[in-house]
Amino acid sequence: MMRTAAGILITAAVLYAFACLVLFLSQRSLIFFPQPRRSGSEAGIMKLRVDDGELNVTTRALTVPDAVLYFGGNAEDVSGSLPDLAAAFSQQALYLMHYRGYGGSAGKPSQAALFADALALFDQVQARHPHVTVIGRSLGSGVALYLASARPVARLVLVTPYDSMVELAAGQFPLMPVRYLMTDKFESWRYAPLVKVPTTLVTAENDAVIPRASTDLLLTRFQPGIARQVVIAGTGHNTVSGSPLYALALAATAR
């Protein structure tokens, strides 16, 4: 009887360890969903040189002092966001990054790569435009927030942002030691206290992907007077940008 019980425990432990290994090895396929570029011409693409090759950046080039950098969601073709951003920021140059593996960009995505690429893009854009607003949506909110903590951005806009992606994953896999397995943690709470520029959190009222509690917690991480929250009523994580109030919220952040 004891041998049987011991055998069951050993088998369960082996299966659990195997499940942990599978989760560890496949974690980036659960975070990143690269998309092809579906709109825009090659004439509107800027090439950003990085260590893995070149990244594509969808642009609307204007010779003006103000620019907007946009970092999209984990399954977003950012070229599709160009019309909405062009309407909201009519007087700014626009730069929308296709992450590594997305939209024809070289390489494979990771937190470290996205953070490094965001810094490289900012440095290149700021050389042309001294005032740079940074926008990040969903996954990209963590990229934008990190960038704003490390570079002198003019303004920061976070759309459907999270406090910590590793905490979101822990909620999805409550029986797994996600906090120890996850390498791309995207812990926005680490960088929010370092941000010193006006910041707007645009929240979908009925977000079923990033719980409202995570966004609300992130809001508390900023220094007093830095961040404000705009809640778009009646919208979800993937429908917030379809609301006329979303366009107004973005336009209100324009210089």
Side-chain angles (χ1 to χ4, degrees):
M1 189 72 157
M2 298 215 24
R3 288 183 179 178
T4 301
I8 293 174
L9 289 175
I10 291 172
T11 300
V14 170
L15 291 175
Y16 183 76
F18 179 73
C20 289
L21 178 61
V22 170
L23 184 60
F24 176 76
L25 295 176
S26 64
Q27 59 181 287
R28 283 183 176 151
S29 67
L30 299 175
I31 298 174
F32 303 106
F33 299 91
Q35 301 296 311
R37 181 168 56 88
R38 299 183 178 88
S39 60
S41 66
E42 286 299 318
I45 295 295
M46 183 184 83
K47 300 293 184 178
L48 178 68
R49 185 71 188 177
V50 296
D51 54 3
D52 280 358
E54 289 184 331
L55 303 185
N56 286 333
V57 181
T58 290
T59 66
R60 182 188 65 181
L62 294 176
T63 306
V64 293
D66 296 342
V68 172
L69 304 190
Y70 179 79
F71 302 96
N74 69 336
E76 181 179 350
D77 167 24
V78 295
S79 64
S81 295
L82 183 61
D84 288 342
L85 292 172
F89 300 96
S90 60
Q91 303 301 314
Q92 283 94 333
L94 302 176
Y95 298 86
L96 290 67
M97 174 178 280
H98 296 270
Y99 301 137
R100 299 186 189 209
Y102 290 66
S105 291
K108 295 182 178 181
S110 68
Q111 175 182 294
L114 268 57
F115 282 7
D117 296 343
L119 296 178
L121 178 60
F122 177 88
D123 291 344
Q124 184 164 320
V125 168
Q126 196 195 31
R128 307 174 185 176
H129 313 277
H131 305 124
V132 182
T133 293
V134 176
I135 302 175
R137 180 171 180 175
S138 193
L139 172 72
S141 68
V143 181
L145 186 46
Y146 168 76
L147 174 58
S149 75
R151 292 291 190 270
V153 309
R155 280 177 171 77
L156 177 63
V157 182
L158 306 175
V159 181
T160 60
Y162 47 85
D163 185 64
S164 167
M165 187 173 288
V166 70
E167 293 301 327
L168 296 181
Q172 293 292 318
F173 300 95
L175 301 180
M176 309 296 284
V178 171
R179 294 175 182 84
Y180 301 100
L181 296 175
M182 199 164 171
T183 54
D184 297 326
K185 299 180 185 295
F186 287 98
E187 294 174 316
S188 293
W189 60 267
R190 290 185 180 275
Y191 307 108
L194 304 177
V195 174
K196 299 178 181 179
V197 298
T199 299
T200 301
L201 279 64
V202 180
T203 304
E205 181 183 34
N206 305 315
D207 197 327
V209 176
I210 296 176
R212 177 71 177 274
S214 182
T215 303
D216 291 347
L217 182 57
L218 177 62
L219 182 64
T220 69
R221 308 292 195 182
F222 292 88
Q223 296 181 33
I226 292 294
R228 68 186 186 97
Q229 186 176 40
V230 176
V231 179
I232 309 299
T235 63
H237 188 80
N238 296 316
T239 61
V240 63
S241 58
S243 169
L245 297 177
Y246 175 75
L248 291 175
L250 292 185
T253 67
R255 285 180 56 87

